Amino acid sequence: MGHVAATPTIDRAAAVRRALRTLVARHGLHGASMSAVAKEAGVATGTAYVHYESKEQLMFAAYLELKREMGLAAIEGVDMSGTPHDRFIQLWMGIYRFLAHEPERAQFMLQIESSPYARAAHEMGMALADDPIMAQASAPDAFGMLAPLDLDVLYELAFGPAIRRAASAAVAAPRKSRSTETDVLAIAEACWRAVTVP
């Protein structure tokens, strides 16, 4: 009897989330209907609705997944024995590099974080028990250094520039040079000063 090759299992829910991120990054939230997302994912529209009851539910799932991936990638480069300042800079640079590697991810985050859904998305992200970015912000030696601002404001001041700078890589003219490491580090330092008390 001949050997039958196993058919690889396709994670259709993941394909739908990726398709939404791609379409939102390219065309904005209004250019990513459930039927367009399903077509981009290579599934039937009904299949997309099997996994997500609404575009809003799908959007939050895609955002939270990307935010977690970003946090995990960024935290890999952080020396946990460093000072709060050093850890912040390393985390900031990790976020920037993760998003600049595939600027579509940054474009997607900007679309969500500039939409009416931003507050709810931030609240969901901050409520995750194992969010690596929140874990760094709430570390005892760092928490006392943070300015007394709402968490969503701190997040925007701290990491918004990293996201926007990474997103700009997607739309930069081919002849225009990208930010140098020194430029990006200067922005990270400015973000540190913006979120901490002197």
Side-chain angles (χ1 to χ4, degrees), residues 34-132:
M34 286 296 271
S35 60
V37 168
K39 183 177 180 182
E40 177 76 17
V43 300
T45 303
T47 301
Y49 279 109
V50 164
H51 297 288
Y52 302 99
E53 293 177 9
S54 66
K55 179 179 165 180
E56 183 177 285
Q57 186 186 59
L58 168 59
M59 181 189 57
F60 287 133
Y63 175 81
L64 293 174
E65 176 183 55
L66 178 56
K67 194 161 183 285
R68 178 162 172 68
E69 289 171 357
M70 177 183 76
L72 290 172
I75 205 76
E76 282 181 13
V78 176
D79 175 3
M80 296 303 179
S81 66
T83 65
H85 166 269
D86 292 346
R87 293 194 317 262
F88 175 87
I89 299 300
Q90 292 164 2
L91 184 65
W92 197 100
M93 293 299 293
I95 289 170
Y96 170 76
R97 289 178 184 128
F98 173 80
L99 294 173
H101 180 68
E102 290 182 36
E104 254 187 14
R105 296 185 286 205
Q107 291 282 354
F108 171 77
M109 290 195 82
L110 280 181
Q111 287 288 326
I112 300 302
E113 293 180 355
S114 301
S115 77
Y117 302 106
R119 181 105 181 156
H122 276 268
E123 288 173 359
M124 288 179 192
M126 290 185 287
L128 296 174
D130 58 350
D131 180 71

Side-chain angles (χ1 to χ4, degrees), residues 113-194:
E113 293 180 355
S114 301
S115 77
Y117 302 106
R119 181 105 181 156
H122 276 268
E123 288 173 359
M124 288 179 192
M126 290 185 287
L128 296 174
D130 58 350
D131 180 71
I133 296 170
M134 287 302 297
Q136 280 302 302
S138 59
D141 64 340
F143 188 75
M145 300 179 79
L146 295 177
L149 301 168
D150 288 342
L151 284 176
D152 59 332
V153 173
L154 285 171
Y155 173 83
E156 175 58 29
L157 289 172
F159 303 115
I163 296 166
R164 282 188 290 284
R165 181 58 59 140
S168 71
V171 294
R175 289 179 280 136
K176 193 174 187 180
S177 64
R178 290 188 179 178
S179 298
T180 66
E181 190 85 356
T182 304
D183 295 336
V184 175
L185 276 169
I187 297 168
E189 290 287 355
C191 291
W192 169 256
R193 291 191 300 272

